[in-house]
Amino acid sequence: MPAINVPENLKTGNLEMEFFATASKGTEKALQKELLELGFRSVRLISGGIPFMGGIEDGWRACLHSRIAQRVQLVLKRFPAASEKELYEGVRSIDWT
């Protein structure tokens, strides 16, 4: 299996990133409370899950300790996508290296 090159700032958790913890319908409020109790920052309540901010260690910690979240996703980039073309252009603009 090939080695994965992880940037140093991700290894040390110095980079503030946005995560999204997905939740089953109706469990969002319980997930928000759980993440706040676990000490996560910028936890907001929205339909379908809970966005929060933190370093890479926080993302791993949410995966490990949350009993309500279905998935913890890293938000790579935000861009407007009113059309299929804009969606593909936005995805192509992400640095995948």
Side-chain angles (χ1 to χ4, degrees):
M1 183 178 204
I4 298 173
N5 295 324
V6 178
E8 280 303 313
N9 61 347
L10 292 182
K11 288 180 185 175
T12 61
N14 292 336
L15 185 63
E16 183 82 356
M17 297 176 277
E18 180 182 358
F19 294 93
F20 187 79
T22 65
S24 296
K25 186 175 182 177
T27 65
E28 296 94 342
K29 196 163 192 129
L31 176 56
Q32 178 190 31
K33 182 180 177 191
E34 178 186 60
L35 292 175
L36 286 169
E37 289 173 354
L38 289 170
F40 292 102
R41 302 183 310 278
S42 303
V43 176
R44 299 186 324 266
L45 177 63
I46 64 172
S47 179
I50 305 296
F52 64 95
M53 302 297 290
I56 195 71
E57 287 95 357
D58 294 319
W60 286 113
R61 195 163 56 87
C63 285
L64 182 62
H65 295 292
S66 176
R67 296 174 4 173
I68 300 170
Q70 295 176 320
R71 291 182 176 87
V72 177
Q73 303 167 336
L74 173 62
V75 178
L76 297 176
K77 188 172 186 177
R78 292 191 175 277
F79 50 86
S83 68
E84 181 180 346
K85 181 180 178 187
E86 286 180 340
L87 173 63
Y88 282 101
E89 287 172 356
V91 171
R92 280 191 206 106
S93 74
I94 297 172
D95 181 9
W96 295 98
T97 58

